[in-house]
Amino acid sequence: MGAIILSSGLEPFDPKVTDEFGYGRFQNVVTSMDYERLLSATGAYEGEVLRASDLKHPHKIAWIQCVGSRQVIEGGNSYCSAVCCTYTQKQVILTKEHDAGAECTIFHNDIRSYGKDFEKFYERTEKLPGVRFFRSYVSIGKEDPVTKNISIRYSTPDDGVKEEEFDMVVLSVGLNPPKDAKGIANKFGIELNDHGFCKGTPTNSMETTRPGVFVSGAFQGPTDIPESVFTASAAGSQVGELLDYRRGDLSKERIYPPERDVSQEEPRIGVFVCHCGANISRIVSIPETVEYCKTLPNVVYAQEQIFSCATNSAKEIADVTREKGLNRVIVAACSPRTLEPLFRDSVREAGINQYYCDMANIREHCSWVHAKEKEDATQKAKDIIRMSAARTFHLEALQEFDLPVDKRALVVGGGIAGMTCALSIAKQGHEVYLIEKDTALGGIARRISSTLEGLDVQAFLNDTISKVYQHPLIHVYTGATITEGTGYVGNFLTKVKSDRGNAEIVHGAAVIAIGADVYKPTEYLYGQDDRIMTGLELEEQIARKEEKVMNAQNLVMIQCVGCRNEDRNYCSRICCSQSVKNALTLKELNPAMDIYILFRDMRTYGFKEDFYREAANKDVRFIRYEPSDKPEVKVVQKKGQPVLKVIATDPILGKKIEIDTDIVALAAAVIPAASSKEVSLQFKVSLGPDDWFKEAHVKLRPVEFATDGVFLCGTAHYPKHITETINQAYGAAGRVLTLLSRDIVTASGSVCTVDENKCVSCGACITVCNYGAIEFYETPEGRKAKVNPVLCKGDGVCNTVCATSAIQLKHFNDEEIYSQIDAAIGDL
């Protein structure tokens, strides 16, 4: 038996196919991919944005959205490419960093900022000076034969059609399937969908039509980086289910060269300064910084690198360290949070202790925050590296230690995410304890009848629940409450009170899949009239074929209720598709029903765009509203009967309209589960500003927490559709298996230690430690604090509150920190 994972990438749409906007004919009309290269330090003009016609900086730039997407024309694609709105906003922000006075205009249909924190990103872009968002279809008027500027025609609400000239026009192109998609499909015996992407099964978009062949990333359809990352892990987990019996057969233990003792040597520091593409080098003068590094005490070597994190660059660091006899290394690049393990590994490959490596953050701490002050940013980069060099002089070798791994897993939450994750882990030979607070499994999916694509959710849910209960390695605890959580990666202890009584569960990994809740509206008369309900309640009544809904002549849906506002500054992602689904279902049952959807932006991204178009073709009326002019719901008396009335502004007519309706359905926000804060404290994991669980890294580690051994999936992370939830659940299972498949894990050497001679037993350190890593113990000199290095996470909080400086954090001790301060202030 074998398995295959297909991860073929995408192709950018070629605007020449539809020949709408003069691409290829007008020099200063470029695609977003072209523009991305202009922004890059390795691009045509080394990070400078210049026009091809005269090599001048464009000051006035327009972006045209949906080029090659959402188009039912010859050569276009009917689907939404999902990523274009956000990458355009990124390009606008970068453009403003290049030229603070640049005028940027985005011509769009809907802004689809549906992902986690995307709404905040959109608002950040919108509030930049000189940035305009215009909702309008556009056309290219002409190219000025002298200036080569481009004229764009667009419509406005007040002034009709206008024509405006721009220095450059960027076409935000959509994404096509890989060019050889048909060849790939034929070669591997799989089917493609109507759009030319890999066809998945109704319940699993990663499972192709051929058993044993899986797909990850954008070959499923246009998708963003986090989804690509966790679907890669997810596909790997499903392959692991098939090939678990072969696990470890071909793996080899990595052998590092013997570690050289350099503690008695004079420090010889090497500095590697990274361009980070254009992220650093467009602001900081890298050559000047490298030359400065060579003048620093104990620095015997310095060089620049385009991308220090590239495989060849990481190898270069190891090679140079050996060749030049370096015994300390500084990588001046990005945040150590992202890539420090990589550079430590390079140092180990060179044969010296990995804790002789330091990272000077000249991206987040310098170039990204001083984009408009290039000279000052270069000076600050020098200062940061000088401080790092001073600290590196005092670094010491530290030893990490091995911890045994318990082979069992705990999954908290028995909805679709939790059950899917538990099943995947169990199918790979590991016991799983599945904890659910309700008396039955299923979560919020118990209230959903179908998906937009037509999946019978209840049939799927019942089948999944049956598989969970039938699997011998899954132990289900319903009506469960977690009373205490302790331990560390590979060896957790969770105490549970449930229908089965009290239990103490020992496990090596934990997965948080507690789901989300639905906002209970306080607006639009919800709760005051039974004809006003949420979209989920409407779906339940449709499933029951309630007479009130079936016989309705008019129905109004109002989007964005309880989100995209000051209280919840995020998009709930699923609401637009749910409303379209309900509208199509009702049109199927009662074609004569008049249905209105009042929306801000219709965010039916990806292939869901086809259903949005279908609804419009079936006379579902879509009316846009602005947040400053929200719809109003009233109950008025007509002939002695209470009549529901919705008042809204029609942007096409330019005036208020009144709709008498039988039903009002509110697309209520998805909100974090009420237990999120409690669970976050029990498992020592973080919540974001909106109280969604915060992943370790939004793009690179989207199903992991900063707390080792604890993972994340489902709507506890952020609202998502069922197929996306399943993808992420498999992704979390894949990451769990990378832990449970080991016999040991390695704990950091950067932990706190107590000098008992200075300890006065005040207990301040114990009070502030979030990990329970410090406790008192009796010594001949009395009670003293002691750190358990296994539990210590090295955050140094205890160090800051110790009045006698009895606690020191290894790798960040006082001598190292003070040396940085001295280097920062110099002779001041």
Side-chain angles (χ1 to χ4, degrees), residues 268-290:
R268 291 176 55 83
I269 302 172
V271 183
F272 298 85
V273 185
C274 180
H275 286 247
C276 195
N279 281 290
I280 297 173
S281 60
R282 74 170 180 271
I283 307 299
V284 174
S285 172
I286 301 299
E288 182 181 337
T289 303
V290 169

Side-chain angles (χ1 to χ4, degrees), residues 34-48 98 275-279 281-282 305-307:
D34 298 331
Y35 196 76
E36 195 80 21
R37 294 304 303 149
L38 290 176
L39 291 167
S40 173
T42 58
Y45 308 117
E46 299 182 332
E48 284 196 82
H98 277 70
H275 286 247
C276 195
N279 281 290
S281 60
R282 74 170 180 271
Q305 293 179 315
I306 300 300
F307 286 102

Side-chain angles (χ1 to χ4, degrees), residues 485 512 514 674-688 691-694 705 707 710 770-771:
I512 307 301
I514 63 172
S675 59
S676 292
K677 290 185 179 179
E678 182 182 4
V679 172
S680 72
L681 293 173
Q682 290 169 333
F683 288 91
K684 313 295 189 298
V685 296
S686 300
L687 299 176
D691 284 342
W692 300 107
F693 283 96
K694 185 177 181 180
F705 285 107
T707 300
V710 188
N770 291 319
Y771 304 99

